[in-house]
Amino acid sequence: AIMAEEGLDHLVDGVCFKKLPEEWLTPDTSAALECLSNEAGDWFEGEVNEKLRGIGILGDRCKGRIILVGEKIDIPAEVGQFDFLGYSESDDAIVVVESKMVEVGFEARFFRDEISQFATGRKSHAAQLRRKVNWVVANRDRLARAFRAKNSSPKVVCALVTLYPTFAACRIIDLPCVSLVELMEDYHAKRAWPYDIVIK
């Protein structure tokens, strides 16, 4: 019975990462897994955004165009959607967060895949976040007006936030890569944005 329960737990954990026994895979189940995976990702983004707003960082998902306080700022397609773009008045900082709900693995192949997915691949999560941060820096004055920032040139801070801690964080030296729990604990411990990696 214990082995059956463990097997069920493993199955449930894997479903949102599109994992099912091969003999269960059909066009219908594959489509359903894709849908479930997208919903799980949306759920995690929502959780991250709610926690950020809970510590006083005002913002949300942004896609295509930002309209705040009369400012209309178009986001180029090559920059893509922001999982979270906001402003922290207490830190006087524009905050850019990329949220990734990824599967945790403890085998060597998982480490290799995580490093590629997060750090070294051409379309890695870190590369996506860098592109978004660069766009924010280039549009800082307009975003500062849109967010009613304290001054016209607030600092820009960012983080790559995961559901579970990821081994790949060791390979990303220019961006914080932390789990949601770590981010919240670090923020509450410092009572401010906790990471020194900022764009002035």
Side-chain angles (χ1 to χ4, degrees):
I2 292 173
M3 285 184 65
E5 287 177 7
E6 287 178 355
L8 180 60
D9 288 343
H10 185 69
L11 178 66
V12 169
D13 287 344
V15 164
C16 62
F17 299 108
K18 300 189 272 191
K19 298 270 179 78
L20 268 185
E22 277 189 37
E23 58 270 22
W24 293 5
L25 290 176
T26 68
D28 287 341
T29 57
S30 295
L33 285 175
E34 187 70 36
C35 182
L36 184 61
S37 177
N38 290 338
E39 287 180 6
D42 288 345
W43 166 82
F44 182 60
E45 279 182 28
E47 287 294 303
V48 172
N49 295 1
E50 185 179 323
K51 294 288 189 262
L52 290 170
R53 288 190 290 267
I55 55 176
I57 303 174
L58 302 179
D60 209 340
R61 295 176 182 144
C62 295
K63 183 179 181 181
R65 174 174 284 184
I66 301 166
I67 302 175
L68 286 169
V69 196
E71 283 282 330
K72 293 181 181 178
I73 307 170
D74 290 321
I75 304 171
E78 61 270 19
V79 172
Q81 175 177 318
F82 285 83
D83 293 343
F84 183 90
L85 178 62
Y87 175 72
S88 170
E89 185 174 3
S90 61
D91 296 293
D92 189 28
I94 297 173
V95 180
V96 185
V97 169
E98 189 85 353
S99 303
K100 296 298 171 194
M101 182 173 159
V102 293
E103 185 179 18
V104 171
F106 300 101
E107 300 169 26
R109 66 185 178 87
F110 279 106
F111 295 162
R112 185 179 61 246
D113 291 347
E114 274 187 23
I115 288 169
S116 175
Q117 196 177 23
F118 274 84
T120 60
R122 220 166 43 86
K123 295 183 178 180
S124 69
H125 301 319
Q128 290 175 9
L129 182 54
R130 288 186 197 102
R131 189 168 60 247
K132 291 171 187 178
V133 167
N134 289 339
W135 181 84
V136 167
V137 170
N139 291 275
R140 184 187 340 223
D141 57 340
R142 298 179 68 199
L143 289 166
R145 288 195 300 272
F147 284 121
R148 290 184 175 169
K150 288 180 180 178
N151 67 69
S152 60
S153 188
K155 63 188 175 186
V156 178
V157 300
C158 64
L160 188 52
V161 179
T162 58
L163 179 59
Y164 304 109
T166 173
F167 175 79
C170 300
R171 297 292 298 270
I172 305 172
I173 59 172
D174 62 328
L175 303 168
C177 180
V178 292
S179 71
L180 179 56
V181 170
E182 289 172 314
L183 172 60
M184 291 296 103
E185 287 180 345
D186 293 346
Y187 194 96
H188 288 302
K190 193 172 179 181
R191 296 185 181 179
W193 187 260
Y195 308 116
D196 295 331
I197 302 169
V198 299
I199 294 88
K200 302 296 183 187

